[in-house]
Each structure stands twice: as structure tokens, then as C-alpha cells.
Amino acid sequence: GPLNNYNTGSLLVRQFSGPDMTGRIVNVSTITDINLSNYDPQGLSVNYSLDIIGYIKPNYTEPYTFYAIANDRVRIWINNVLVLNVWDTSTGLEYTSTPIQMTANRWTPIYIQYQNISDTASLIVRWSSTTLTKSFIPVNNMAWDNSINRVPLPLSISDSLTLFSSQSGLTSVQT
């Protein structure tokens, strides 16, 4: 649905000094694509994490698949559904999500957790659908709602994810 107080053309990124979205937040910024290579927020090159928060707007009403290449760990939620969970140490392979139905021209929540443990950091996320070939999410299909005042906490198997949207209030998702 429509967003209140939104900023289009990017997604919000919070960078943490520790793993699993812990430690202090060292930077908050926006990104115009999810293609982070040799990424080192505030000079942190190992053992840090980040989350990416916002909305994406598909152009077609059909199932979408998300692809992630991560060195080291990544989780992706679309519309509050965990569609990709690679939380063991990966080596830069591409992982494919469970497809999820999306509606054309409807802003849909996206939430990504990423952790770099060692070596070169990288995170690349793309999408595809029946009509759309695998590609980066276009900048004009990204937004973030600056009225968000609560974002998800780190997840464990027993945790639930809580998102706040100015449209729908608190939404809990059990993992």
C-alpha cells in the first residue's frame, strides 16, 4: 500500500560494530542498489553486521524469486516472510529464495540481515519473476519510510520478528 513520510530511490542501512545486529550502530545511510563489494562501514573489515530496511515495488503481479551472493551470511524477508536464510558461513555462492507472490505497483516490505565474519565483505541481491529476468532492484522501485521507529531485533530460532510500519502498526512474524 502507499507509504506515509517515505523517501523513494533507496533503502535504509544500519551498520553494527558486532555480529548478529549487535554492538553499537556505527553508521546509518541509504543505498541505491544492493551490491556491496569490499564493504567496510566505518573502517570495520571483519566481524560486523548490517540490516537493510525498506520497501520494494514490483512491476508485475506474479511470483518473485530473490538471489543473494553473500560473504558471509544473509537472511531476506519479503512482506514479513523469511524467503532466504543462509546463516552458516558461505563462500560467495549464489543462493536462491523461495518464490513469493507480489502485486504490481504495491510497496512491499523488504528486510535483509547480513553478517561479515572474516575476509572480504560482499553482498549482492537481485530479483526475477516470470516476466523479469534476473536483475538488480531498480532505484525507482525502492523506498524507505522515515516514520519507522522500531526495526527488527536479531533473530534466533525461538525469536519472532517485529516490524513497525506507519500503515499497519506492529506486525509480528514467527520464524
Side-chain angles (χ1 to χ4, degrees):
L3 304 176
N4 296 327
N5 306 315
Y6 67 96
N7 296 289
T8 58
S10 61
L11 298 171
L12 189 67
V13 179
R14 297 185 317 158
Q15 298 134 355
F16 298 85
S17 62
D20 293 324
M21 281 47 68
T22 59
R24 63 184 177 86
I25 296 174
V26 296
N27 192 32
V28 177
S29 60
T30 58
I31 56 172
T32 56
D33 64 9
I34 308 170
N35 184 7
L36 309 175
S37 297
N38 297 317
Y39 192 69
D40 59 346
Q42 303 298 309
L44 298 173
S45 59
V46 296
N47 206 30
Y48 70 86
S49 55
L50 60 83
D51 57 9
I52 299 172
I53 306 161
Y55 299 87
I56 54 176
K57 183 172 60 173
N59 293 326
Y60 309 101
T61 297
E62 54 195 18
Y64 278 71
T65 301
F66 291 80
Y67 306 88
I69 300 172
N71 189 6
D72 293 301
R73 298 175 175 164
V74 64
R75 292 180 179 131
I76 301 174
W77 287 262
I78 302 297
N79 206 20
N80 304 323
V81 175
L82 181 64
V83 296
L84 184 67
N85 185 5
V86 183
W87 211 246
D88 57 350
T89 304
S90 66
T91 57
L93 300 173
E94 183 172 77
Y95 295 90
T96 304
S97 78
T98 303
I100 187 166
Q101 183 69 32
M102 297 180 74
T103 303
N105 300 313
R106 178 179 290 168
W107 288 110
T108 305
I110 184 170
Y111 177 66
I112 300 172
Q113 291 180 330
Y114 167 75
Q115 182 182 73
N116 183 48
I117 298 168
S118 62
D119 298 329
T120 304
S122 64
L123 175 63
I124 298 170
V125 176
R126 296 178 289 178
W127 67 352
S128 72
S129 69
T130 306
T131 307
L132 177 70
T133 59
K134 188 188 319 180
S135 59
F136 288 103
I137 300 167
V139 68
N140 59 344
N141 293 63
M142 297 178 172
W144 58 278
D145 185 341
N146 63 16
S147 68
I148 292 175
N149 62 9
R150 177 166 171 76
V151 293
L153 299 172
L155 291 178
S156 69
I157 291 178
S158 62
D159 287 336
S160 65
L161 171 67
T162 302
L163 292 172
F164 181 82
S165 165
S166 60
Q167 277 301 144
S168 61
L170 287 175
T171 304
S172 289
V173 178
Q174 194 68 34
T175 57

